[in-house]
Amino acid sequence: RERLEKSGQRSITALVDISNYVMLEAGRPTHVFDLDRVHGGLEVRWAKKGETLKLLNGNTVVLDESVGVIAETKTGAVESLAGIMGGDSTAVSLETQNVYVEAAFWHPLAIQGRARRFNFSTDAGHRFERGVDWETIPAHLDRISALILEICGGQAGPIDDQIINVPQRKPVTMRIARAQKVIGVAVAADEMASIFTRLGLTHTRTGITTADGGDAFIVTPPSYRFDIEIEEDLIEEIARIYGFDNIPALPPIARAAMHAQPEGTRSLHELRAAVAACDYFETINYSFVDKAWEHELLGNTDPINLLNPIASQMAVMRSSLIPGLLAIVQYNVSHKADRVRVFELGKVFKRDASVTDGPLAVAGITQPLKLAGMAFGGAVAEQWASQKRTADFYDVKGDLAAMLPDGAHFVAAEHPLLHPGRSAKIELNQVTIGWIGELHPKHLSRFELTSAPIVFEVEVAPLQQRSLTVHGAVSKQPLVRRDIALVVANSVNSDELVDSLMAGAPAFVRSVDVFDVYRGAALPEGKKSVAIRVLMQDTERTLADTEIEGACQQMLSKAQEQHGATLRA
């Protein structure tokens, strides 16, 4: 009992203690049945779907065809979870008179993951799923029987030795030249043979040159070495015993060549740096999220469920990065942070029947890379030079617009996670690539937030594409500015209005930008006034007044044709 306690095992009863003691000695678990409580014989089989078993720990588990069991032959009742834990109905106690000791080899593939499926772990399962020695089972039974007779008394019965199917230990070939090349040291063949001998590995040396690499050792792994299956396993053993300290640390001699990065593609590192430069901190979250987040926040009624989640609140794969960022903001706010700006670049997971299996793909699931960010609290850190104000939609829109490719537009739209009327989708070539907006008020109480953060999520692939810089001569001619106030319907998008003006502009128009929007008195109902700044310049000559006025008329005609725009009186 003292030895068990020093080994981290608590004492239970004499029979259980003996079983645990020999398990620590031999590395193989055993199980002791109360023979008087077994009806008929015992058989090993796969469980039947729906069968139940009350275990020694008091839990009752529901079994299926993938779990091995030991069952009674007479009643068919399951008495033990094979290689993991015994059943309560045949457990030994202080009143036990007759016992049946089971020492078996359970194949690792038949044990791996079974205990975790039932949310517990055992010493037996831990050992069997890694492999145990099957050749010493009779000696193991002799040892445990001797201890039972010595401590508990009684009389030993015969051994029922059943050898049905055990793994075959196939010989593994290790090429001497290959081992020397991988290790980086010319370890002598005699030294290799000595190492195999010291490790108890039966080996022979071919001594001949073969087409695939020359002289080699053929090693037959013993029954207790489940970790030796391929040539690299033997090379590892050579390096380990030879001594890593004896392997010199030499610099590589390969000629390294730097590959040029395409100028039109922004790397993920550059993208992260660009977002960080806008005062956002990067976070890394789990890809597993709470199922309720998918249902309630994103309206995803069919998320991708995990077969074996590590926790109940991490049961499905995320289809958006935003809920994870909300949890980060909630955590920081609960610790008295009044300004939080975070972002994450990572994959999301959605169902897509068109996706097929591949090296980095799973059939039926698309895994796009997304960039999401969130700003909560002040637009800038509190300071003397700037009046305190809360970050709004346009602050975050400006941060995001600096990273979007040319041609991207913000279009007013609604999203289940965002505030109606304060959200927009991001379009590129009439395809939605992301969303931006203020968090919906109904989600504030769930995350214990006093004000709504501004969030965005956009696909990474379009962000990586950028236009190449085009160099031009600096004009010596004066820059001409014209301000135009256009009256349009409230439904007209400012980006679309600017695009229509640019479509009708001559080549010397440098930029067209909105600098003010007015709604109110002196305007017809349902209308707004959009003030636009037009900059014009030619690199070769000074623009004439007629050219300037003609350009303004061309742009106005285009805006009037597409959006019914009129000049404000």
Side-chain angles (χ1 to χ4, degrees), residues 205-445:
R205 183 175 174 184
T206 60
I208 57 174
T209 300
T210 60
D212 61 348
D215 199 1
F217 283 100
I218 299 176
V219 179
T220 303
S223 57
Y224 55 86
R225 292 299 300 266
F226 279 80
D227 58 333
I228 298 179
E229 294 183 346
I230 58 177
E231 182 179 37
E232 284 72 14
D233 295 332
L234 293 175
I235 296 174
E236 180 183 356
E237 294 299 300
I238 295 294
R240 182 172 65 87
I241 303 302
Y242 179 76
F244 294 118
D245 292 340
N246 295 323
I247 300 176
L250 300 175
I253 59 175
R255 185 180 297 277
M258 296 294 292
H259 293 282
Q261 294 292 330
E263 292 184 72
T265 301
R266 179 191 283 122
S267 70
L268 296 182
H269 178 73
E270 290 178 298
L271 189 56
R272 289 188 177 98
V275 184
C278 294
D279 202 18
Y280 292 83
F281 288 87
E282 184 176 13
T283 67
I284 300 175
N285 294 308
Y286 283 107
S287 297
F288 320 131
V289 297
D290 193 333
K291 194 171 186 177
W293 286 3
E294 291 291 317
H295 287 179
E296 299 169 15
L297 299 181
L298 304 170
N300 182 10
T301 58
D302 187 24
I304 300 170
N305 296 290
L306 294 174
L307 295 177
N308 188 23
I310 60 177
S312 59
Q313 71 273 19
M314 305 174 78
V316 300
M317 301 299 291
R318 65 186 180 187
S319 63
S320 172
L321 302 177
I322 293 177
L325 294 181
L326 276 171
I328 295 291
V329 171
Q330 178 190 20
Y331 178 84
N332 282 271
V333 170
S334 68
H335 287 73
K336 307 303 180 184
D338 59 357
R339 182 174 183 268
V340 184
R341 295 166 76 89
V342 291
F343 78 95
E344 181 177 7
L345 195 155
K347 287 185 176 182
V348 298
F349 306 84
K350 301 179 180 180
R351 297 191 185 278
D352 186 349
S354 64
V355 178
T356 58
D357 271 325
L360 298 175
V362 178
I365 299 175
T366 181
Q367 306 175 49
L369 199 60
K370 295 288 186 81
L371 172 69
M374 187 169 298
F376 174 85
V380 295
E382 191 171 356
Q383 55 174 293
W384 63 270
S386 177
Q387 189 175 18
K388 185 177 181 180
R389 68 177 180 85
T390 302
D392 60 19
F393 176 90
Y394 297 101
D395 290 317
V396 179
K397 178 186 175 184
D399 294 337
L400 184 58
M403 292 174 284
L404 290 173
D406 295 339
H409 296 290
F410 295 85
V411 181
E414 293 188 3
H415 187 280
L417 188 63
L418 305 178
H419 191 304
R422 299 181 185 178
S423 61
K425 61 183 178 179
I426 305 165
E427 290 188 347
L428 180 65
N429 301 324
Q430 299 183 343
V431 176
T432 300
I433 63 171
W435 289 85
I436 182 174
E438 184 179 298
L439 184 68
H440 200 292
K442 68 181 179 181
H443 301 310
L444 294 183
S445 59

